[in-house]
Amino acid sequence: MAYNLGKVLIGKDEIDQMVTRIARQISADYRGEELVVVGILKGSFIFMSDLIRRLEMPVIVDFMSVSSYFENTRSTGIVKIIKDLDVNIHDKNVLIVEDIVDSGLTLSHLKELLMTKDPKSLKICVAFDKPDRRKTQIEADYVGMVIPDEFIVGYGLDYAGKYRNLSDIRMMVSDGGNK
Ligand code: IMP
Ligand code: MG
């Protein structure tokens, strides 16, 4: 099935307000503490860069790259680590920043992995959440927006590597769909 770019689901002003709200929550929760923010490449890079510039505590930035294997727009749940952490997170407050939680398989795998490195605390922040499609018991601590079961692109999120550069969130629609 082929997918085409569909209508705007979330506009850039709404995204901007969402990032400000989450950054305030995180800044309040970690007041007086240092935070290691771990962005999951590539999808989180735009959200991450907007978010960290609004955080008020000392922040250390690191990235991990994982690849989730897809069949069309569905994750298979197979996750491979392409790039591991550079910093040592032992005894540090760690915040994983991810673009979206869908089945939850990527984040539950990552959380398990990072817990073995013995951080002081470990929380998860996602820009978007599709709770209808969860296959594991994982909840993010900070959620930007809950969205319906649609495949979305823009603001860092891709379809087949494309559309990450869009400022709004748009839906992908399948051929023959009438959205
Ligand atoms: P998971 O199903 O929660 O493991 O999500 C795996 C990955 O699939 C996420 O990190 C995203 O990169 C990607 N993903 C899931 N849903 C979407 C979507 O609607 N648009 C773009 N990428 C998505
Ligand atoms: Mg991703």
Side-chain angles (χ1 to χ4, degrees), residues 40-44 66 68 98-100 106:
I40 309 306
L41 293 171
K42 301 171 188 167
S44 72
V66 303
S68 322
E98 173 65 310
D99 51 359
I100 188 164
T106 306

Side-chain angles (χ1 to χ4, degrees), residues 24-92:
R24 282 202 190 116
Q25 280 176 29
I26 297 172
S27 295
D29 291 353
Y30 293 92
R31 187 164 293 131
E33 305 251 1
E34 190 180 86
L35 184 63
V36 180
V37 182
V38 177
I40 309 306
L41 293 171
K42 301 171 188 167
S44 72
F45 80 112
I46 295 180
F47 175 49
M48 169 107 164
S49 74
D50 282 348
L51 183 71
I52 58 171
R53 282 177 288 173
R54 293 173 210 192
L55 295 180
E56 289 159 15
M57 78 294 275
V59 162
I60 292 167
V61 168
D62 203 353
F63 290 99
M64 286 180 76
S65 180
V66 303
S67 83
S68 322
Y69 290 96
F70 276 87
E71 277 155 12
N72 258 322
T73 58
R74 307 271 153 174
S75 166
T76 59
I78 303 164
V79 175
K80 187 173 154 201
I81 304 290
I82 310 287
K83 183 211 168 287
D84 207 343
L85 291 172
D86 293 326
V87 302
N88 182 355
I89 60 166
H90 175 75
D91 216 20
K92 303 280 187 189

